[in-house]
Amino acid sequence: MSFFSNLISKSKSIFRFIFMKSVGACLAVLFLGLAAFFLAYPFASVVTGRGGEEAKVLSVADHMGKLKTGWRVGGLFQVGVDLHQKKFDRIYCFYPAWPDQLQPLKGDVVKVWPAKKPLFGAPAIDGWGWFVVGTVLILGLVMLELAFLSLALH
């Protein structure tokens, strides 16, 4: 009888191990996605704010394909801009830029980066905007650490 009880207890511990590692992997994927989202905003804001060139917004789309990514209070927007008398489409802008810019509008000025073939843009950041960028950066780093910690579940 002890052989079967040992076999059952070992199989329970193996199933528990597999279950906990699966939960940890799922949580890691979730937290990595959130970390990428939270870290992309400060990266785009700092790069465009320091090395970008000013361009005028010509068109605004609040969706990528069939997926809606922009709302009244922010999101990821796809804009078309006029930069040095050239028109560029599909430039991705993260909003909001606090305290007063919640979404891009036609005629707004955004900074785009890189200058030769812009990929992403952001409005100029000043005042409380830098505080918000720093806060979002810290949240992204916390999510990244939670992703690594969730892999250590046992």
Side-chain angles (χ1 to χ4, degrees):
M1 217 41 175
S2 68
F3 172 74
F4 290 115
S5 62
N6 282 340
L7 184 64
I8 290 173
S9 67
K10 285 188 187 228
S11 65
K12 282 183 182 180
S13 67
I14 290 172
F15 287 132
R16 183 180 185 287
F17 176 79
I18 292 171
F19 176 74
M20 292 304 286
K21 289 300 178 182
S22 299
V23 168
C26 291
L27 286 173
V29 168
L30 173 73
F31 287 131
L32 278 175
L34 287 172
F37 178 74
F38 280 116
L39 291 174
Y41 177 74
F43 175 75
S45 295
V46 169
V47 167
T48 57
R50 294 294 170 214
E53 297 210 18
E54 291 186 351
K56 186 176 182 180
V57 175
L58 299 176
S59 64
V60 178
D62 63 351
H63 57 277
M64 308 295 164
K66 294 182 181 180
L67 181 65
K68 183 172 173 92
T69 59
W71 297 271
R72 287 183 324 144
V73 294
L76 178 65
F77 293 89
Q78 188 174 350
V79 298
V81 299
D82 179 21
L83 175 66
H84 305 303
Q85 311 306 336
K86 285 184 171 180
K87 293 183 171 130
F88 294 98
D89 290 331
R90 294 186 183 208
I91 297 171
Y92 302 102
C93 291
F94 287 101
Y95 273 78
W98 283 280
D100 57 353
Q101 298 174 350
L102 300 177
Q103 62 184 1
L105 301 172
K106 288 182 183 177
D108 282 352
V109 174
V110 296
K111 287 190 163 196
V112 295
W113 185 86
K116 296 196 186 228
K117 187 165 180 2
L119 179 61
F120 56 92
I125 299 173
D126 59 344
W128 281 98
W130 286 110
F131 176 75
V132 172
V133 167
T135 303
V136 173
L137 175 69
I138 290 171
L139 284 174
L141 293 173
V142 167
M143 292 296 157
L144 189 63
E145 183 169 349
L146 287 174
F148 290 130
L149 286 174
S150 65
L151 291 174
L153 285 178
H154 22 184

